[in-house]
């Protein structure tokens, strides 16, 4: 009976260890994905700020602003 308890205990430790390792791998993958998304978002923000020239938005007419938006859409488009 004592050997059965040791076997069950050993199997339980192995199973919980595998589950723990799988969770750690998943957590690291999620962190990497978030980092990649953040990098892409920061690049996109930089491109849009550069393209739309928000600092000088009050100096442009409505027509010039529309032309700038059209240019940005043609140049950078919808990238998914």
């Amino acid at each position: 009976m004592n050997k059965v308890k040791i076997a069950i205990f050993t199997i339980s430790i192995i199973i919980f260890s595998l589950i723990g390792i799988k969770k750690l791998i998943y957590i690291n993958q999620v962190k990497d994905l978030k980092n990649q998304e953040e990098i892409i978002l920061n690049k996109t923000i930089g491109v849009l700020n550069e393209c739309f020239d928000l600092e000088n938005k009050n100096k442009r007419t409505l027509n010039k602003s529309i032309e700038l938006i059209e240019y940005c859409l043609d140049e950078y488009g919808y990238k998914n």
Side-chain angles (χ1 to χ4, degrees), residues 44-61 64-73 76:
T44 304
I45 289 171
V47 166
L48 290 177
N49 283 337
E50 197 175 299
C51 185
F52 286 119
D53 189 26
L54 297 176
E55 293 176 7
N56 298 318
K57 67 180 178 182
N58 293 332
K59 298 177 185 175
R60 286 192 301 268
T61 63
K64 288 292 182 184
S65 292
I66 291 172
E67 288 175 9
L68 181 60
I69 291 170
E70 289 174 350
Y71 167 76
C72 290
L73 287 175
Y76 299 105

Side-chain angles (χ1 to χ4, degrees), residues 44 47 75-80:
T44 304
V47 166
E75 185 70 24
Y76 299 105
Y78 295 107
K79 295 180 182 176
N80 294 327

Side-chain angles (χ1 to χ4, degrees), residues 8-34:
I8 291 173
F9 181 72
T10 305
I11 292 172
S12 299
I13 288 176
I14 291 171
I15 290 173
F16 287 129
S17 296
L18 291 175
I19 292 171
I21 291 170
K22 186 176 178 182
K23 285 285 187 186
L24 288 174
I25 292 171
Y26 176 75
I27 289 171
N28 286 335
Q29 287 175 344
V30 169
K31 285 181 184 178
D32 289 343
L33 185 60
K34 285 182 181 180

Side-chain angles (χ1 to χ4, degrees), residues 33-45:
L33 185 60
K34 285 182 181 180
N35 288 340
Q36 289 174 353
E37 288 176 350
E38 188 175 331
I39 290 170
I40 291 171
L41 183 61
N42 287 337
K43 286 181 182 178
T44 304
I45 289 171

